[in-house]
Amino acid sequence: NASVQATPILCLDRAREAAAALKHPSQPPAGYLYGLPVLIKDTQAVAGVLFTEGSSLYSTRIAEESDAVVRQIEARGGLVVGKTNVPEFAAGAQSFNEVFPTTVSPWDTRTTAGGSSGGAA
């Protein structure tokens, strides 16, 4: 990540705590994630984690609660380990903003990764 800047926000301690508390159901429901590490786009709030939406207006904002999609992922055993870079307010086709360095391609760091999810695809 240090060279491509795809995941400028990490929440590994939070993920470790969630992993330690994870109790796998004896009859897991369809779609159960079994501790799968997950990255969330920085347009979604994750409780206790920096939530910038790629904007300097929110460069220090910490989410008080998680968005519904994050709550669903975590309720199904997913572990949020970080957040992906985005253009400001996800309004663009490349992940550059004034908060974090530009996300670049891992194949050629002179070029952009493209996309509003910091090369997540």
Side-chain angles (χ1 to χ4, degrees):
N1 182 55
S3 60
V4 296
Q5 302 300 326
T7 315
I9 302 168
L10 295 174
C11 50
L12 300 177
D13 289 339
R14 183 182 186 279
R16 284 185 193 100
E17 288 176 20
L22 196 59
K23 292 183 178 29
H24 296 298
S26 59
Q27 298 282 333
Y32 188 68
L33 299 173
Y34 291 98
L36 179 75
V38 178
L39 293 170
I40 301 296
K41 189 172 182 172
D42 191 26
T43 55
Q44 301 292 312
V46 177
V49 178
L50 188 62
F51 179 32
T52 73
E53 297 183 78
S55 175
S56 58
L57 294 172
Y58 299 123
S59 65
T60 61
R61 176 174 63 173
I62 303 297
E64 292 183 19
E65 60 184 40
S66 294
D67 284 346
V69 69
V70 175
R71 290 193 307 269
Q72 290 295 321
I73 288 168
E74 292 182 327
R76 286 171 172 73
L79 301 173
V80 176
V81 296
K83 298 180 79 181
T84 61
N85 203 2
V86 295
E88 187 171 27
F89 301 119
Q94 298 181 49
S95 289
F96 66 91
N97 58 58
E98 303 220 356
V99 183
F100 304 112
T102 300
T103 302
V104 296
S105 169
W107 307 111
D108 183 351
T109 57
R110 297 170 298 164
T111 63
T112 180
S116 68
S117 296

